[in-house]
Each structure stands twice: as C-alpha cells, then as structure tokens.
C-alpha cells in the first residue's frame, strides 16, 4: 500500500514539475504579456496542484493535508487576481509596452 | 540528491544576485531582488533555519520589495536621465576595485576561520526550560537576548519617523501615501475583501505558534500589515493621519510595555529585562502581545509612505 502511495507521489510531483518546466519555457518563448500570463497560470494552477496532490499521501495528519490544500487555494486566488491586474495594466499600456 | 538541490539553490542565488546588480532598469532589478529574497528563504529552509526563512520571506522579500517599488515609482521621472549617465572610467574602476576588495576580504576572513564556529547553542538548550517556551529562537529573542529585540522594535519606530520626515512642511501630520482609487467591483477590491480574513488568521497563527514552532511577532505582524496595505491599496481602508494621538500612543505602546517589563525586572529579578522565576513565559507573552499591534502599525505605515495629503 505504502509503495503504491509512494509511486503516486512520485508520478504526481513529477507531472507537476513538468507543468512548471512547460510554464517556464512558455514564459521564455511566448511573444507578449498575455501569453506569458497564460503560461505562468498553467504552471501555478496545475503544476502546484499536482505537487500538492502528490504530497498529500506523505503528510501525517488531516490538518497538515488541509494546510497544503489551503496553500494551493491561496496561490490560485492570488495568481488569478494578479494575472487579471497585470493583463488589465498591459492592455491599458498598449501593444508596444 | 540533497547536495544537488543545495548546489542548485546556491548557483541560482549567485546568478540572480549578479543579474540584479547588472540590470539597468530599476523595476527589473527590484523584481530580481524580491525573487532573490524568496530564494534566500529557501536556502535558509535548506539550512534548517525556518525562523530566519520566514523572516527573510516576509521582511527581506515582501516588505523591502514594497518599499523599493514605491521608491522606484517616485524615481521614474528621472530614471532615463540617470541611466543615460555613465561615470568616467576611473570612477567605475575605483568602485569595482573597492567592491571587489571588500568581497575578497570577507571571503578570506570566512574561509580562513578554522575549526567549528563558536556557538552558544548548548547553553540555550540547557537553559530553555527556565523560559517556558519550546522554540529556541523565541527563547533567545525574548529571554536570553531580549535587549536586542527591544532595540529592534525601537529601530523600527525610528525608521517610521525617518519615513514621515520626508513629508513637506505643509503636509506634516497628514495622511500617508496617495489616496488609492480602485474599481469597487474590480478584482483588486474583490481580493482585498476575500484575502484579509484568511491573512489575519494566518498572521495571528504564525504569531501564536512562535512560542513552540518557527514563527513569531515580526513575521505575523508583517502578514497583518500586508493585509492592511492590501485594503488600503484597494481603496477599502485609508491610512490615518500621522498626527492622530491614538496612533502615536499605539505606536509606542509595544516598546513602552517592553521597557516597563524590563525596568520591573531590575527590582524583581535584579537585572534589566530579568524575568522572575516561573513567570518568564507569562512575561514573554505579555511583551509579545503588547508588541504585535505596535509592529503591525509601524510596518504598515512604513509601507504606506510619507504623508502626502492633508489630515482632512
């Protein structure tokens, strides 16, 4: 059982890391602010989500697991809000900013 | 494996530090500095200094980052001109030689130190029972080296006075910073309504857990002050005029309580900041609780900036 959980952790965290890698590549390769936000959003939301999901079987106690999930939700909230604000500022500044 | 991660962090830190110094654009350099602070926090976690990591992330990365961004916004008008200036070669050479010399001297001193570094950790471990707190960092900060923490809290007050004294004469005593106007239905106002309840819980949790686990009043106060700043930036709250008497009383209340406990120690325990037997934990909690509101106000107002509007 514990081996199965360990394998689940490794697979899930590795998948999360892959999203972070893809997000970083997107940040470097995509042409403008809006597509940069798109790339980072994937890394933050799905990447961190998968890392948290993978770590859940490894924590001891319900409270520690809930804390991990709470961290993910707060990062989601902050990421979504900041993305909107950056996008709005970029649109106001015009396409050449 | 762990060594590879540590080496990666160290390399990233060095690279980011060089990039931050080399960046010509002020805002880009600040973004580099904030990322550097967060990375440094990771390095402290790797060194098992979780208390230091929390402080570095909250104050080194967060609070200092806000201060620097404010400063950069004020400098934006003159930035192009100052970037265009290029000091003469001898000046640049002299700066490079001096900075390089300091780095080399520091490296020499650190690398030449033989044997294990002197430590008081065993004595802290032996005497921590007398303080009643379980987190050795808190025991050092509020019992063994309480004087340093007292002076730290007072230095923050001086920093705030320094920020305030940047106000022009006719605005002295007015409200700090510009009035923020955000769309009341916008995402910032939404975030400023949703996040503070969570942030306040987390801030108090980190403050309270400091007795037994990494955490404490500085880290907790930074989070609480950040929530206040968020509400201010969304236009949901306004900073009070700095001439308000209650505000000034609240700012000095924490350090004053700390000094009062210290002075009482002279009579009761025979030393300034000496705690009587068995009362150490209670007095530490009194000091922490008294310091927290003062610290939140001080940090929040330092981030809010110098008075820029009349008190009305």
């Amino acid at each position: 059982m514990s081996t199965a959980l360990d394998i689940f952790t490794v697979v899930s965290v590795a998948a999360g890391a892959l999203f972070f890698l893809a997000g970083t590549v997107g940040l470097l390769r995509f042409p403008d602010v809006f597509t940069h936000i798109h790339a980072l959003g994937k890394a933050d939301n799905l990447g961190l989500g998968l890392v948290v999901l993978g770590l859940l079987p490894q924590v001891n106690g319900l409270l520690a697991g809930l804390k991990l999930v709470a961290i993910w939700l707060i990062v989601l909230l902050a990421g979504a809000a900041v993305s909107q604000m950056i996008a709005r500022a970029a649109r106001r500044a015009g396409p050449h900013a | 494996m762990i060594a590879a991660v540590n080496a990666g962090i160290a390399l990233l830190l060095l690279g980011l530090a060089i990039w931050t110094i080399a960046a010509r654009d002020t805002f880009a350099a600040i973004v580099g500095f904030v990322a550097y602070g967060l990375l440094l926090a990771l390095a402290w976690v790797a060194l098992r200094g979780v208390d230091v990591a929390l402080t570095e992330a909250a104050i080194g990365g967060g609070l200092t980052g806000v201060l620097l961004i404010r400063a950069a916004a004020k400098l934006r008008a003159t930035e192009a001109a100052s970037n265009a200036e290029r000091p003469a070669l001898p000046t640049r050479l002299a700066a490079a030689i001096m900075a390089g010399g300091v780095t080399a001297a520091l490296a020499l001193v650190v690398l030449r130190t033989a044997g294990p570094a002197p430590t008081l950790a065993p004595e802290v471990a032996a005497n921590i029972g007398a303080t009643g707190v379980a987190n050795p960092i808190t025991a050092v900060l509020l019992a063994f080296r309480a004087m340093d923490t007292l002076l730290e809290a007072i230095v923050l007050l001086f920093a705030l006075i320094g920020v305030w004294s940047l106000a022009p004469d006719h605005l002295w005593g007015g409200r700090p910073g510009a009035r923020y106007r955000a769309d009341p239905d916008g995402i910032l106002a939404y975030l400023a309504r949703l996040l503070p309840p969570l942030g306040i819980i987390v801030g108090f949790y980190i403050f309270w857990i400091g007795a037994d686990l990494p955490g404490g009043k500085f880290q907790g106060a930074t989070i609480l002050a950040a929530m206040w700043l968020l509400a201010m930036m969304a236009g949901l709250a306004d900073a009070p005029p700095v001439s308000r008497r209650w505000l000034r009383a609240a700012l000095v209340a924490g350090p004053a309580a700390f000094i009062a406990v210290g002075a009482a120690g002279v009579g009761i325990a025979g030393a300034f900041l000496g705690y009587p037997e068995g009362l150490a934990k209670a007095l530490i909690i009194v000091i922490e609780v008294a310091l927290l509101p003062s610290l939140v106000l001080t940090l929040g107002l330092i981030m809010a900036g110098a008075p820029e509007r009349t008190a009305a």
Side-chain angles (χ1 to χ4, degrees), chain B residues 215-233:
Chain B
K217 66 201 165 314
F218 278 108
Q219 298 94 323
T222 312
I223 295 173
L224 294 174
M227 292 304 123
W228 189 30
L229 193 72
L230 179 61
M232 279 194 242
M233 287 177 139

Side-chain angles (χ1 to χ4, degrees), chain B residues 63-167:
Chain B
L63 191 138
T64 317
V66 172
L67 289 180
L68 289 175
I69 286 177
R70 292 191 70 94
K74 301 240 178 219
L75 291 175
R76 195 171 287 161
T78 58
E79 189 177 337
S82 69
N83 267 356
E85 272 175 28
R86 220 174 149 73
L89 187 67
T91 317
R92 301 210 318 262
L93 219 57
I97 289 171
M98 279 160 99
V102 170
T103 310
L106 278 175
L108 205 68
V109 169
V110 170
L111 294 177
R112 273 175 58 104
T113 315
T119 176
L120 292 171
E123 277 155 75
V124 170
N127 291 302
I128 191 170
T131 65
V133 295
N135 179 5
I137 310 289
T138 304
V140 170
L141 289 182
L142 281 154
F144 305 132
R145 296 297 306 165
M147 181 65 112
D148 297 357
T149 309
L150 171 62
L151 293 178
E152 228 169 78
I154 293 174
V155 159
L156 274 179
L157 267 187
F158 280 126
L160 181 60
I161 294 170
V163 169
W164 283 358
S165 42
L166 296 173

